[in-house]
């Protein structure tokens, strides 16, 4: 894979916490030695990534002094320059410290809620120093194990209050961030609020600054909820709310696996890439995943290269699908047009309603005339994915 060149037009990014993941899990500690942010930047430079994203504490330890912070920032900026890396996105760690054991913005404790907002304000400053323009909110601890412990309606109100406050901070400080909310149904909490991307899409119009806010859907998270990720992304795209995306993979019905993009459900990955490319998604393609626990750092590089390469291969296959004469012919046949009827149903009017009611539409005739060779179309698609077409 050594000759592979990632194309910067795709804006492939990784988090410090992804390639730097030392391979710990709930049942065993780290298996890779921890490497520094500068070493991670060097690794990403070597594999040809476009950029790197971070949580405040991936870069600056939570208890660092101001002087330590500034030194870390300088060292990391130098490493980014050396490796030609950008920082398109930043975020806050509102889940690791014990203080967040019962949530951050939705904590039952007003002091903890204030601390979470304060921590985010500082983390936004940090991200802005690196030119980040997308700010992700993943509420990993915003949830419950038992609904006896927190009022779920209050949780929504508290979350909204925090975001409205931070939007004002964004405006006042002229950071120019777009906020991107990331849903997850569970893990680490028994139940996490805003369980799926659609939950955030319904929250956004109720915020004070809806134009500033969009979503950051993650493949694995929607698959954990048993959902079709492509449809969630389509909903976000259609509302012009896809501000960022977390690419990885996940077997359905399992724990949060964060596998390499395309490694578990290739067909879903194909339709996802096709959707993003067909609709001209222009944001970063962020890989929020990590290498297998068995890997060493050489293999972590293969993981990173493989993530980008799979995306590019699937983009090529999506273009092949779009150019395939037989597939396009089938699409033409199955999409039956009728200009006169479409004119009637496009916009309601009393006259159109009357005309529509008078149309002699017979269900049995419609059914018999409806030619849908979907097995054929799907098999042609599979043959493109399998590389024989
Ligand atoms: C954490 C989580 C991810 C989120 C990150 C952003 S942190 O690794 O599992 O899905 O995107 O906070
Ligand atoms: Mn995940
Ligand atoms: Mn994620």
């Amino acid at each position: 894979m050594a000759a592979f060149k990632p194309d910067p037009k795709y804006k492939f990014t990784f988090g410090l916490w992804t390639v730097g993941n030392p391979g710990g899990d709930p049942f065993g500690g780290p298996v890779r030695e921890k490497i520094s942010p500068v070493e991670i930047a060097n690794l990403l430079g070597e594999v040809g990534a476009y950029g790197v994203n971070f949580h405040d504490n991936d870069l600056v330890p939570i208890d660092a002094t101001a002087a330590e912070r500034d030194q870390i920032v300088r060292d990391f900026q130098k490493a980014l320059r050396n490796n030609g890396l950008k920082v398109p996105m930043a975020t806050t760690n509102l889940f690791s410290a014990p203080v967040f054991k019962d949530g951050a913005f939705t904590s039952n404790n007003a002091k903890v809620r204030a601390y979470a907002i304060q921590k985010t304000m500082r983390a936004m400053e940090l991200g802005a120093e690196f030119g980040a323009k997308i700010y992700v909110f993943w509420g990993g601890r915003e949830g419950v194990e038992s609904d006896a412990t927190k009022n779920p309606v209050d949780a929504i109100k508290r979350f909204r209050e925090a975001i409205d406050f931070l939007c004002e901070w964004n405006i006042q400080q002229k950071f120019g961030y777009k906020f991107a909310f990331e849903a997850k149904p569970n893990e680490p909490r028994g139940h996490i609020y805003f369980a799926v991307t659609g939950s955030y899409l319904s929250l956004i119009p109720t915020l004070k600054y809806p134009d500033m806010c969009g979503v950051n859907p993650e493949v694995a998270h929607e698959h954990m909820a048993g959902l079709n990720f492509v449809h969630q992304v389509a909903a976000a795209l259609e509302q012009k709310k896809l501000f960022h995306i977390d690419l990885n993979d996940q077997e359905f019905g399992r724990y949060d696996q964060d596998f390499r993009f395309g490694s578990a459900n290739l067909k879903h990955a194909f339709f996802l890439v096709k959707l993003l490319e067909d609709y001209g998604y222009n944001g970063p393609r962020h890989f929020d995943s990590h290498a297998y626990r068995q890997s060493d750092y050489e293999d972590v590089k293969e993981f990173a290269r493989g993530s980008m390469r799979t995306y590019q291969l699937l983009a090529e296959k999506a273009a092949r699908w779009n150019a395939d004469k037989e597939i396009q012919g089938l699409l033409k046949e199955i999409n039956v047009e009728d200009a006169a009827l479409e004119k009637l149903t496009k916009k309601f009017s009393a006259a159109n309603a009357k005309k529509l009611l008078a149309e002699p539409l017979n269900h049995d005739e419609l059914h018999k005339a409806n030619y849908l060779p979907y097995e054929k179309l799907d098999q042609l698609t599979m043959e493109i994915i399998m590389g024989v077409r």
Side-chain angles (χ1 to χ4, degrees), residues 62 92-121 141-143 150 158 161-162 166 189:
I62 193 165
T92 328
N93 186 324
L94 296 173
F95 44 89
S96 294
V99 65
F100 299 126
K101 59 184 181 279
D102 193 29
F105 300 149
T106 70
S107 165
N108 275 331
N109 186 324
K111 293 185 173 66
V112 174
R113 295 201 296 276
Y115 172 65
I117 295 175
Q118 183 197 66
K119 188 173 193 286
T120 305
M121 292 164 77
R141 299 276 175 199
E142 311 290 15
K150 224 183 264 178
R158 288 170 181 169
E161 206 173 277
L166 291 165
R189 299 310 298 264

Side-chain angles (χ1 to χ4, degrees), residues 297-352:
Y297 280 107
E298 274 314 302
D299 204 34
V300 169
K301 290 178 199 163
E302 295 304 317
F303 150 85
R305 291 191 185 102
S307 305
M308 299 185 282
R309 185 169 156 86
T310 296
Y311 189 98
Q312 286 189 195
L313 287 169
L314 290 175
E316 200 177 89
K317 291 194 182 296
R320 185 178 287 268
W321 195 94
N322 287 339
D324 189 296
K325 292 222 161 61
E326 197 171 354
I327 289 175
Q328 292 309 313
L330 286 173
L331 289 179
K332 257 209 149 83
E333 280 186 81
I334 64 181
N335 283 286
V336 178
E337 281 168 22
D338 188 306
L341 281 175
E342 282 173 86
K343 206 172 152 215
L344 273 188
T345 54
K346 199 165 187 70
K347 200 166 187 309
F348 181 87
S349 70
N352 280 353

Side-chain angles (χ1 to χ4, degrees), residues 17 89 136 138 182-184 216-219 221 245-248 258 286-289:
W17 70 95
M89 177 271 262
V136 162
W138 175 64
E182 178 177 347
K184 189 175 182 183
N216 174 40
E218 172 174 319
V219 180
H221 296 176
I245 191 161
D246 276 2
L247 302 172
N248 57 14
D258 290 337
H286 175 235
F287 296 104
D288 188 9
S289 45

Side-chain angles (χ1 to χ4, degrees), residues 109-383:
N109 186 324
K111 293 185 173 66
V112 174
R113 295 201 296 276
Y115 172 65
I117 295 175
Q118 183 197 66
K119 188 173 193 286
T120 305
M121 292 164 77
R122 295 198 172 122
M124 286 169 70
E125 279 170 357
L126 180 67
E129 282 184 54
F130 289 88
K133 288 290 170 208
I134 301 162
Y135 206 85
V136 162
F137 291 82
W138 175 64
R141 299 276 175 199
E142 311 290 15
V144 290
E145 283 64 48
S146 162
D147 284 317
T149 65
K150 224 183 264 178
N151 179 324
V153 173
D154 285 349
I156 297 171
K157 291 187 193 307
R158 288 170 181 169
F159 188 85
R160 181 188 294 115
E161 206 173 277
I163 296 300
D164 286 348
F165 187 97
L166 291 165
C167 282
E168 301 261 16
W169 174 244
N170 186 30
I171 294 167
Q172 194 215 76
Q173 296 296 304
K174 301 194 169 62
F175 291 140
Y177 282 121
K178 290 272 190 190
F179 289 5
F181 305 124
E182 178 177 347
K184 189 175 182 183
N186 56 275
E187 257 192 82
R189 299 310 298 264
H191 307 273
I192 299 180
Y193 299 127
F194 305 106
V196 295
T197 295
S199 320
Y200 281 121
L201 289 176
S202 73
L203 173 79
I204 290 170
T206 74
L207 299 173
K208 201 157 174 197
Y209 297 95
D211 293 346
M212 213 179 277
C213 300
V215 291
N216 174 40
E218 172 174 319
V219 180
H221 296 176
E222 309 293 322
H223 283 191
M224 284 173 77
L227 299 181
N228 180 318
F229 184 67
V230 177
H231 295 187
Q232 300 298 307
V233 173
L237 270 175
E238 205 270 337
Q239 293 187 21
K240 301 201 170 26
K241 289 297 182 195
L242 189 68
F243 289 1
H244 197 261
I245 191 161
D246 276 2
L247 302 172
N248 57 14
D249 216 342
Q250 171 80 24
E251 299 283 2
F252 281 86
R254 301 289 166 94
Y255 65 95
D256 179 21
Q257 295 178 308
D258 290 337
F259 283 154
R260 190 180 75 258
F261 180 59
S263 62
N265 295 281
L266 196 54
K267 189 176 181 183
H268 286 301
F270 167 77
F271 284 115
L272 175 62
V273 171
K274 184 169 156 3
L275 180 75
L276 294 174
E277 297 307 310
D278 285 352
Y279 285 83
Y281 170 73
N282 193 29
R285 282 133 179 100
H286 175 235
F287 296 104
D288 188 9
S289 45
H290 46 79
Y292 300 137
R293 195 161 184 261
Q294 298 75 26
S295 301
D296 62 8
Y297 280 107
E298 274 314 302
D299 204 34
V300 169
K301 290 178 199 163
E302 295 304 317
F303 150 85
R305 291 191 185 102
S307 305
M308 299 185 282
R309 185 169 156 86
T310 296
Y311 189 98
Q312 286 189 195
L313 287 169
L314 290 175
E316 200 177 89
K317 291 194 182 296
R320 185 178 287 268
W321 195 94
N322 287 339
D324 189 296
K325 292 222 161 61
E326 197 171 354
I327 289 175
Q328 292 309 313
L330 286 173
L331 289 179
K332 257 209 149 83
E333 280 186 81
I334 64 181
N335 283 286
V336 178
E337 281 168 22
D338 188 306
L341 281 175
E342 282 173 86
K343 206 172 152 215
L344 273 188
T345 54
K346 199 165 187 70
K347 200 166 187 309
F348 181 87
S349 70
N352 280 353
K354 201 171 159 202
K355 280 188 205 150
L356 179 59
L357 284 171
E359 283 290 333
L361 296 167
N362 177 285
H363 67 85
D364 204 40
E365 282 167 20
L366 287 177
H367 152 62
K368 286 188 181 132
N370 206 10
Y371 171 66
L372 298 173
Y374 284 2
E375 291 289 355
K376 189 171 175 185
L377 181 55
D378 186 69
Q379 180 65 21
L380 291 174
T381 303
M382 295 308 292
E383 294 199 2

